[in-house]
Amino acid sequence: MKEIVVISGKGGTGKTSITAAFAMLAGKNAVIADCDVDAADMHLLLQPDFAKSEDFYSGFKAEIDQELCMKCGKCKQACRFDAVKKIDDSYNILNLDCEGCGYCAEICPVKAIQMVEQNVGKWYISKIKNNAQMVHARLGIGADNSGKLVAKVKKEAKNIAQEASKDFILVDGSPGIGCPVVSSLSGADYVIIVTEPTLPGFHDMKRVYELVQNFHLTAGCIINKYDINKEISEKIKSFCKKNSIDIISYFPYDETFTQAMTQGKTIVEFDDGNLKKILENSWKKIISLTDQH
Amino acid sequence: MKISIASGKGGTGKTTLATNLAYLLSQKSPVILADLDVEEPNSGFFIKGKEIHEKKVFRMIPEWDKEKCVLCGNCQRVCKFNAVIKLWEEVLVFNQLCHSCYACSELCPQNALPMKTYEVGKITEFEQNNLHFIEGKLNVGEEQAVPLIKETIDFTNHNYSSDILRIFDAPPGTSCPVIEATKSADYIILITEPTPFGLHDLKLAVEVMRELKKDFGVIINRYGIGNDDVVQYCEDERIPLLGKIPNMKKAAEAYSKGELLSEAIPEIRSAILDIIKNLQDREVLL
């Protein structure tokens, strides 16, 4: 079983549209994991049935029992996040600022502070429209701990894939280089970077590739909208060659991507022409590349 | 006035809007543009200012002092992030997991975990006439964006008068980095694209802004592709639609080269000017 993780560095390069199309091409050989948990969109194309759902608890917030509090202010002094605010005569926790470190609870002389575990979201196991299984999640509004929810989604996807002896886990990652991305990369067998030939796209790809290298992972690259700047596309190509990143495919600038999305379809269900062919060839290439590595 | 530009979905035009708004507004009066998308900051490709200052940003992390430690294990017990682990006769600190709360350090009976500085990124300050551009950039491998976002905002607070307009280019998503980049702002602009992904993530961003009790409006970028569902949604929810930026392949090409779209493409310039007028009518801008 191979775990394939799709990331991009920069947002909006076509990562999810392309990954969803691969999910349709992989069919029942793959378990799909949407690890872009704080702005998950893949379900809009794959139409999961949300068959099984579970709450996800992670991290803490402090709560002060005003009855017990003797207003010594030690909690406010200890807090490095300015999360304790004195309002009139009472001390209060600002939920958005509380990091859940528990320092205040630890030092409160009358044990008036409780650390309460937080419900930060939900995760789901679903069947998608081609009957493959998908694990996905939704992070609560403004919640942190997205990295931990990503780890949970990946772990569940892995369990399903192992039990049913699937060939692939296909993971849609999030933009950036922070904790959710680090979580989605850990344990990957192969990384696909979807980029675009723009100065920001290339810059962000280089940064995220540095992260991929930190994990000693092998990677391939898909250049989307390659024709909007052929000069930068060439630069991306040389960067890939220099770093032994496999070049998987190039997609032209094509608004068919949006048209398919507007109908809730992946490209391979919508387009019978050039884009579908590129996607099919890309997926074949990815299968053979992951076999080699 | 502090305006934060956020989106939910990535790649919808936050940076395009932030840089063009800041640039056009700076022709009349001083503006501070802060790039708070510290994981992947991109505003600097479009604002060509003179670098005037760069500083490294540090976080405080405990460092184990083997000589003083009596292996009582209190540090491991108080750490809620599993960042300090006592393993046999050793205490290990995992920098990436540490939230710099000081609990392990200050509650250590032997003072065996003094806090030491640890570099997480840098803040660079550029100047282009009236436009002051501040960029926060996270070191690759550093997982926590929030401390650097906070530092970058603090930097603008300490170095510039609060009378100057601030425009924040926020990171994508709806989780803690976005909260940090929007919670101190007076007004939030949510920029989206008229597609199912754009609408879905806009709804999440709207929920966040309502939770934070923020005043906000919406701008549609790449208007003309997709459908009219975002317009309908804004009408239904009585969310002000502040403007529409037309979809043009030319714009994607100019963006790819790092050109400022309001300079390169007249239609986009006029769309941004309309947005400024709209913000003035709403008294978000003077």
Side-chain angles (χ1 to χ4, degrees):
Chain A
M1 182 195 56
K2 303 279 184 182
E3 186 175 317
I4 301 169
V5 178
V6 187
I7 51 171
S8 65
K10 184 177 173 336
T13 60
K15 187 168 32 66
T16 302
S17 291
I18 291 172
T19 311
F22 288 156
M24 293 306 286
L25 292 171
K28 288 174 87 173
N29 275 335
V31 176
I32 315 303
D34 189 349
C35 285
D36 189 0
V37 296
D38 71 317
D41 286 328
M42 205 157 54
H43 63 280
L44 298 171
L45 302 182
L46 297 180
Q47 285 142 19
D49 59 5
F50 293 80
K52 188 189 158 198
S53 80
E54 216 168 284
D55 285 326
F56 185 69
Y57 288 86
S58 175
F60 300 85
K61 298 272 182 207
E63 266 180 35
I64 302 180
D65 184 336
Q66 299 297 343
E67 302 279 309
L68 292 176
C69 177
M70 56 175 214
K71 310 187 197 319
C72 66
K74 285 203 172 124
C75 50
K76 187 169 163 44
Q77 276 167 28
C79 181
R80 286 295 191 297
F81 309 103
D82 296 322
V84 186
K85 196 177 178 193
K86 194 175 177 189
I87 302 169
D88 298 323
D89 196 30
S90 72
Y91 289 89
N92 297 273
I93 302 292
L94 303 174
N95 249 337
L96 275 179
D97 295 298
C98 177
E99 288 268 329
C101 71
Y103 193 176
C104 57
E106 191 66 39
I107 53 136
C108 175
V110 292
K111 301 270 173 259
I113 303 177
Q114 292 290 319
M115 297 308 294
V116 181
E117 197 167 31
Q118 300 295 297
N119 179 346
V120 294
K122 263 190 156 59
W123 59 275
Y124 312 92
I125 298 178
S126 295
K127 210 178 247 180
I128 57 173
K129 59 186 171 189
N130 66 355
N131 285 324
Q133 281 191 292
M134 170 167 166
V135 184
H136 48 127
R138 191 181 160 176
L139 195 68
I141 289 308
D144 41 21
N145 287 296
S146 55
K148 292 202 174 119
L149 186 51
V150 167
K152 179 73 185 167
V153 167
K154 279 195 37 161
K155 194 175 149 223
E156 291 299 327
K158 203 166 197 162
N159 287 345
I160 295 172
Q162 267 163 353
E163 270 170 33
S165 320
K166 300 290 182 191
D167 295 337
F168 301 101
I169 300 173
L170 186 59
V171 179
D172 190 19
S174 53
I177 56 165
C179 56
V181 181
V182 170
S183 264
S184 58
L185 285 176
S186 105
D189 294 297
Y190 193 76
V191 180
I192 299 170
I193 303 173
V194 178
T195 188
E196 59 177 36
T198 62
L199 289 174
F202 187 24
H203 164 265
D204 295 357
M205 169 201 178
K206 285 192 271 192
R207 272 167 73 80
V208 86
Y209 180 65
E210 215 182 309
L211 193 63
V212 170
Q213 276 181 311
N214 289 351
F215 281 86
H216 307 288
L217 302 172
T218 29
C221 175
I222 291 176
I223 305 178
N224 193 9
K225 309 178 207 168
Y226 77 90
D227 49 347
I228 59 169
N229 192 324
K230 288 188 176 154
E231 204 186 314
I232 300 180
S233 283
E234 282 304 313
K235 284 187 185 159
I236 295 174
K237 224 165 102 183
S238 347
F239 175 81
C240 289
K241 283 202 176 125
K242 214 175 104 196
N243 289 284
S244 318
I245 302 170
D246 307 312
I247 293 172
I248 298 167
S249 51
Y250 306 90
F251 287 86
Y253 178 92
D254 193 331
E255 290 176 7
T256 310
F257 274 98
T258 311
Q259 289 160 16
M261 186 203 292
T262 306
Q263 296 196 15
K265 288 183 176 167
T266 62
I267 296 284
V268 288
E269 298 164 279
F270 182 81
D271 173 89
D272 232 355
N274 191 30
L275 289 179
K276 187 176 180 181
K277 210 173 288 163
I278 302 173
L279 278 158
E280 285 169 346
N281 289 337
S282 304
W283 182 242
K284 270 186 215 151
K285 200 159 173 184
I286 291 163
I287 294 176
S288 86
L289 285 167
T290 51
D291 271 347
Q292 288 165 29
H293 292 300
Chain B
M1 181 51 124
K2 294 178 193 161
I3 300 176
S4 197
I5 299 172
S7 72
K9 176 167 159 33
T12 58
K14 282 181 299 302
T15 299
T16 297
L17 180 66
T19 50
N20 285 285
L21 261 188
Y23 173 77
L24 290 176
L25 288 166
S26 76
Q27 320 224 304
K28 294 223 173 87
S29 50
V31 177
I32 299 163
L33 169 66
D35 195 339
L36 303 181
D37 187 1
V38 301
E39 292 179 42
E40 299 287 24
N42 290 143
S43 286
F45 286 108
F46 305 94
I47 300 295
K48 315 270 187 286
K50 190 174 109 221
E51 183 179 324
I52 53 170
H53 185 67
E54 183 185 291
K55 72 162 201 167
K56 288 182 175 166
V57 177
F58 299 91
R59 234 165 24 98
M60 301 303 282
I61 298 284
E63 192 178 66
W64 183 51
D65 184 339
K66 191 179 174 178
E67 301 303 314
K68 289 184 179 169
C69 180
V70 294
L71 297 165
C72 69
N74 195 49
C75 47
Q76 169 170 318
R77 187 184 63 76
V78 299
C79 182
K80 286 273 189 293
F81 309 108
N82 303 318
V84 188
I85 305 283
K86 193 190 102 177
L87 204 66
W88 309 110
E89 310 242 296
E90 220 176 328
V91 171
L92 303 173
V93 176
F94 296 93
N95 294 354
Q96 295 304 328
L97 299 178
C98 174
H99 286 227
S100 310
C101 75
Y102 286 67
C104 63
S105 178
E106 293 178 355
L107 298 174
C108 172
Q110 302 294 320
N111 290 320
L113 279 163
M115 298 298 276
K116 291 277 162 65
T117 55
Y118 164 72
E119 190 189 325
V120 294
K122 62 182 185 191
I123 293 174
T124 317
E125 187 180 6
F126 302 87
E127 208 173 73
Q128 183 190 55
N129 303 318
N130 260 335
L131 179 54
H132 306 276
F133 169 50
I134 320 290
E135 178 194 75
K137 194 172 203 166
L138 194 69
N139 288 347
V140 175
E142 180 57 34
E143 296 177 28
Q144 295 176 38
V146 170
L148 182 54
I149 294 172
K150 201 174 159 119
E151 281 281 333
T152 309
I153 296 173
D154 284 350
F155 183 90
T156 67
N157 290 342
H158 290 143
N159 291 280
Y160 294 97
S161 144
S162 59
D163 304 340
I164 306 176
L165 171 70
R166 283 148 165 80
I167 295 178
F168 295 157
D169 185 1
T174 57
S175 61
C176 39
V178 183
I179 306 289
E180 195 62 41
T182 51
K183 73 181 182 190
S184 66
D186 304 298
Y187 191 82
I188 316 292
I189 299 174
L190 299 176
I191 182 159
T192 188
E193 52 180 46
T195 63
F197 285 6
L199 175 60
H200 177 265
D201 296 349
L202 172 67
K203 287 178 183 169
L204 297 177
V206 164
E207 273 187 67
V208 175
M209 293 313 139
R210 286 184 172 154
E211 183 86 19
L212 293 176
K213 301 189 171 58
K214 292 291 177 188
D215 197 6
F216 63 93
V218 167
I219 289 173
I220 302 177
N221 191 17
R222 301 187 67 206
Y223 185 74
I225 56 159
N227 56 32
D228 271 335
D229 290 355
V230 172
V231 177
Q232 192 58 49
Y233 167 76
C234 289
E235 268 174 32
D236 293 347
E237 292 285 319
R238 295 167 188 271
I239 298 166
L241 191 55
L242 304 167
K244 296 167 185 165
I245 301 171
N247 180 47
M248 302 167 98
K249 191 179 177 191
K250 261 196 324 203
E253 288 163 351
Y255 172 94
S256 78
K257 292 181 266 188
E259 289 176 12
L260 209 49
L261 298 192
S262 56
E263 290 288 278
I265 299 172
E267 293 92 327
I268 298 218
R269 185 189 182 89
S270 90
I272 307 268
L273 288 172
D274 283 348
I275 290 166
I276 292 176
K277 168 116 200 342
N278 217 329
L279 289 168
Q280 284 164 340
D281 291 346
R282 291 172 182 280
E283 294 177 355
V284 174
L285 289 174
L286 293 177

